[in-house]
Amino acid sequence: MPGFRRWSKSKFERNPESSFKLLAAVLVITLYLIIKEFQHPTVRVRDAPAFGAQIQHTRWNGTGKAQETRAKHVRDAMKYTFWKYRENAWGYDDILPVSGGNSTSRNGWGAFIVDSASTLALMGLWDELAHSVEHILAIDFTEAQDLVDPFETTIRYLGGLLSIVELYDVGLIPEDVLHDEARDLILEHAVTLAQKLAPAYDTPTGMPWPRVDFDTEQGEPDASFVFDDDPNKQEYDHPVVGPARTGSSILENRVLTRLTGNDVYARNSTLAWAPLVWSKWTTPWAGMVDAPVDIMTGAPVGRSRHWDGGHDSFYEYLLKVTLLAPPSDPHLDVYKKRFLKSAYSLRRHLSSRSAPAPDHLMQHLFIGRQDDKQYENQMGHLACFASGTILLASKFYDQPYLRTFALALLEGCHHTYTSTTTKIGPETWSWVPKFGYDEPLFFPESERQREEALASGFWSTDSQYKGRPEYVESLFYAWRITGEQRYREWAWEAFEAMEKHCKAPFGYAQLADVYDLGDSNWVDMQESYWAAETLKYLWLTFEDVEVASLDSWVFSTEGHPFRMIR
Ligand SMILES: *[C@@H]1O[C@H](CO)[C@@H](O)[C@H](O)[C@H]1NC(C)=O
Ligand SMILES: *[C@@H]1O[C@H](CO)[C@@H](O)[C@H](O)[C@H]1NC(C)=O
Ligand SMILES: *[C@@H]1O[C@H](CO)[C@@H](O)[C@H](O)[C@H]1NC(C)=O
């Protein structure tokens, strides 16, 4: 560099005329850019650095290193999960972790294998991944058992395939596990699958049908919609969807468009959520969607409003698409505004502190739901995703109020975990709102619920644990973004409880009752998100903070990492 500087300096000294020309040229270009900016203002979501974004905590001072022993325990849990499945249910969608049986819940392509592959890759479990790649290459996505659910198929299968391609493209997967030719075949599989899903988007609005029949290549309603001669049996005129079903395909399809150069995927998934993002229907709360929504007209035909199951990942993707997409995307500012409005609406209208209970004076922040005029003081485990997502937004969009809100919500979810006898939180719970809601919907009904309420300030309304990731997912975001050690401790406590109570002869079982320490507590089910998300987020929390950094990767709603290309 010094050589270069000397060279240019002496050049200008010798020829002052050329430095004048240079100055004039710079002025002309600057003027041109200013005029152009007035004609076509560029959308600036934020002044993002050229590559990636500054999301993670920066002043680690040595604390961001891996906690090797803990990381190894989680990796061992993944190995156990993989090998039990490999030995007893290979190729089926899921293993039954208690009996060793199998189930075909996701059209029979081996959901576990596709969904868990990005976890294997991040953990460097290469023998395991090599087996998975072999299976993946042999899948025939043109044939499906049963009707196909475009939402589940996009997030589990399409996302799983694309994430493997992404991880390979950055050099994370060694050549003896995957090579160029196999990588291209996996991408071809993704294209085949996306083409088979295409009839989903054949509606007047572009919103997806709830199901696709791969034989007839037609969109179909789901079972809850009765196409009967008897119109009384039909709740709505047309099939309806919740926001998550129509608003959780844009990340996967944008990545597919980037990898193939074919615009149709990004375009169709943008049209699919357009009736929600650019809604022409008035709803009472800024940014928040009323649901369900009629897929033929785009009209909200119900008045349900919340961030819980069925609505959740629409809001998640509003934020994440602004992280994933290149800043030149013309819609990013709309997505950002819509996200922020809905996050502030959530905070203002649906968040509620629990009133102190006789044996538990602390108050905790939860988020409820609204149905028309009725506030529902109930929250589900799924809604615990909100703290991680809102924390991510608070960092990316520089919103300190949202940070406080997100961390308070996380404390609430933590409280549901630490209050039960297994130290795992329930599927849904209720609380007595401290103020603001005159007539809450739920009160403790049974003696047991009253006892739980007295002891902890909330009571379980569904006490199962379904292997879900949302709490540990949010702990992962909290650890990486705040750098506060306690989130790692909370994650470890959750993992120890899962190891103790869920580990079964053939995998990790779900629990019938998180308050039950008895023997018959296992439920013979293990969903693929256990490996795709729960174990991945736990492991990443104990790994070095540079592994799958939030500055470079965006995690899909199924936990699949995609490259941030900015
Ligand atoms: C960084 O870590 C060192 C050694 O652990 C410690 O002495 C120092 O006070 C720390 N600095 C900050 C700013 O936390
Ligand atoms: C899968 O389950 C069916 C019964 O549901 C059983 O007949 C079959 O043997 C199982 N396959 C394996 C590999 O265990
Ligand atoms: C895109 O959407 C159109 C309907 O607008 C549909 O006909 C087409 O099959 C879809 N293609 C893909 C690849 O999704």
Side-chain angles (χ1 to χ4, degrees):
M1 284 316 273
F4 173 75
R5 235 178 266 132
R6 221 175 302 125
W7 176 80
S8 45
K9 188 164 174 259
S10 58
K11 190 167 179 248
F12 289 145
E13 273 166 3
R14 245 182 292 131
N15 189 353
E17 198 184 315
S18 81
S19 72
F20 175 75
K21 272 189 199 151
L22 184 76
L23 194 68
V26 167
L27 269 173
V28 169
I29 292 170
T30 312
L31 260 176
Y32 168 76
L33 287 177
I34 289 173
I35 291 167
K36 191 164 167 273
E37 174 74 13
F38 273 107
Q39 284 172 337
H40 309 279
T42 17
V43 178
R44 282 215 188 84
V45 164
R46 45 163 271 154
D47 290 323
F51 297 101
Q54 182 52 63
I55 299 295
Q56 294 203 151
H57 182 68
T58 47
R59 295 185 302 277
W60 294 99
N61 194 19
T63 58
K65 296 262 178 297
Q67 292 182 319
E68 311 259 350
T69 314
R70 290 178 173 185
K72 182 181 175 302
H73 278 294
V74 180
R75 195 167 173 271
D76 286 345
M78 183 63 204
K79 279 199 212 169
Y80 181 81
T81 303
F82 179 90
W83 285 106
K84 289 296 171 187
Y85 166 86
R86 163 93 184 149
E87 285 154 14
N88 300 284
W90 187 250
Y92 291 94
D93 286 335
D94 302 295
I95 193 168
L96 304 182
V98 182
S99 62
N102 56 74
S103 81
T104 304
S105 54
R106 309 266 167 224
N107 311 107
W109 299 308
F112 175 89
I113 298 176
V114 181
D115 214 10
S116 66
S118 67
T119 302
L120 296 177
L122 289 175
M123 291 181 176
L125 290 170
W126 305 127
D127 290 345
E128 290 81 352
L129 185 61
H131 287 302
S132 296
V133 166
E134 196 186 330
H135 172 89
I136 289 169
L137 292 176
I139 300 175
D140 178 4
F141 281 111
T142 63
E143 302 280 339
Q145 296 186 34
D146 310 319
L147 294 180
V148 177
D149 178 337
F151 165 71
E152 296 287 356
T153 306
T154 298
I155 65 171
R156 300 194 201 216
Y157 284 108
L158 192 60
L161 296 171
L162 294 172
S163 189
I164 287 301
V165 174
E166 293 272 84
L167 293 166
Y168 177 76
D169 285 353
V170 300
L172 235 129
I173 301 175
E175 294 270 337
D176 57 342
V177 179
L178 197 62
H179 46 80
D180 286 354
E181 212 177 306
R183 174 257 186 223
D184 291 350
L185 281 171
I186 293 178
L187 184 55
E188 262 176 49
H189 272 1
V191 169
T192 304
L193 184 56
Q195 292 296 345
K196 290 297 287 185
L197 290 173
Y201 298 102
D202 259 325
T203 56
T205 56
M207 297 176 82
W209 285 91
R211 297 287 183 275
V212 178
D213 185 330
F214 272 24
D215 293 334
T216 63
E217 311 208 316
Q218 302 268 315
E220 297 280 347
D222 56 357
S224 73
F225 184 78
V226 188
F227 261 129
D228 220 305
D229 293 337
D230 179 3
N232 297 327
K233 285 195 176 165
Q234 231 169 263
E235 203 177 346
Y236 304 107
D237 292 342
H238 305 126
V240 298
V241 289
R245 288 203 151 269
T246 193
S248 314
S249 63
I250 196 154
L251 247 55
E252 290 79 1
N253 281 288
R254 270 179 173 278
V255 173
L256 186 57
T257 283
R258 165 157 59 71
L259 290 171
T260 59
N262 186 347
D263 222 31
V264 69
Y265 311 113
R267 195 168 60 238
N268 275 10
S269 60
T270 304
L271 286 174
W273 76 349
L276 306 189
V277 177
W278 290 271
S279 178
K280 59 179 181 182
W281 313 92
T282 38
T283 54
W285 299 345
M288 278 183 80
V289 170
D290 277 16
V293 181
D294 182 322
I295 64 167
M296 298 298 169
T297 63
V301 291
R303 289 284 168 264
S304 166
R305 234 168 286 143
H306 57 80
W307 276 43
D308 215 313
H311 295 212
D312 40 14
S313 42
F314 164 64
Y315 298 107
E316 180 183 353
Y317 275 22
L318 281 175
L319 164 68
K320 288 183 173 176
V321 75
T322 68
L323 276 154
L324 182 86
S328 58
D329 183 309
H331 303 316
L332 295 192
D333 212 35
V334 177
Y335 298 150
K336 173 183 176 179
K337 284 191 182 126
R338 181 110 205 164
F339 177 89
L340 285 174
K341 278 185 188 160
S342 60
Y344 281 107
S345 283
L346 178 72
R347 177 168 167 266
R348 168 188 287 210
H349 297 292
L350 289 180
S351 70
S352 145
R353 270 192 191 282
S354 58
D359 300 329
H360 185 83
L361 297 179
M362 270 185 67
Q363 304 156 32
H364 303 277
L365 195 68
F366 300 122
I367 42 180
R369 302 157 161 248
Q370 188 81 8
D371 190 16
D372 203 3
K373 303 270 184 294
Q374 176 69 58
Y375 180 71
E376 301 177 351
N377 50 326
Q378 178 164 278
M379 178 167 173
H381 190 288
L382 285 163
C384 288
F385 93 98
S387 53
T389 292
I390 293 171
L391 188 62
L392 181 62
S394 78
K395 187 70 185 264
F396 190 43
Y397 299 152
D398 193 16
Q399 302 285 319
Y401 287 120
L402 289 185
R403 179 186 170 101
T404 312
F405 177 44
L407 294 175
L409 285 179
L410 187 51
E411 192 283 330
C413 291
H414 175 241
H415 177 60
T416 67
Y417 267 63
T418 55
S419 301
T420 72
T421 41
T422 58
K423 303 299 168 201
I424 297 175
E427 175 73 358
T428 58
W429 60 92
S430 280
W431 62 97
V432 177
K434 189 177 172 206
F435 40 54
Y437 305 101
D438 297 337
E439 289 171 44
L441 190 61
F442 299 105
F443 291 94
E445 275 166 13
S446 61
E447 189 50 41
R448 170 181 164 166
Q449 288 185 333
R450 271 186 291 277
E451 277 172 24
E452 287 175 17
L454 290 178
S456 62
F458 75 91
W459 63 96
S460 59
T461 46
D462 176 350
S463 59
Q464 297 178 78
Y465 174 61
K466 299 191 172 181
R468 292 197 192 282
E470 293 74 20
Y471 169 60
V472 295
E473 169 187 348
S474 286
L475 290 179
F476 162 68
Y477 283 101
W479 159 245
R480 292 286 183 97
I481 292 171
T482 70
E484 286 176 36
Q485 194 66 34
R486 63 175 160 160
Y487 298 119
R488 264 188 162 172
E489 299 308 316
W490 293 2
W492 181 245
E493 285 156 18
F495 175 72
E496 278 191 308
M498 293 168 190
E499 189 68 13
K500 186 166 171 195
H501 299 290
C502 303
K503 191 169 184 178
F506 299 95
Y508 286 79
Q510 302 185 1
L511 301 179
D513 184 353
V514 292
Y515 288 84
D516 183 358
L517 294 176
D519 300 336
S520 57
N521 199 10
W522 282 336
V523 177
D524 199 6
M525 294 242 285
Q526 180 191 274
E527 284 253 22
S528 62
Y529 55 66
W530 165 256
E533 300 184 73
T534 312
L535 290 177
K536 181 185 283 136
Y537 288 126
L538 281 164
W539 182 77
L540 285 173
T541 303
F542 305 125
E543 256 307 310
D544 191 289
V545 294
E546 289 309 315
V547 176
S549 167
L550 292 173
D551 300 345
S552 317
W553 296 91
V554 183
F555 289 85
S556 78
T557 193
E558 188 71 6
H560 295 303
F562 298 135
R563 275 186 296 165
M564 202 186 275
I565 297 197
R566 309 194 61 78

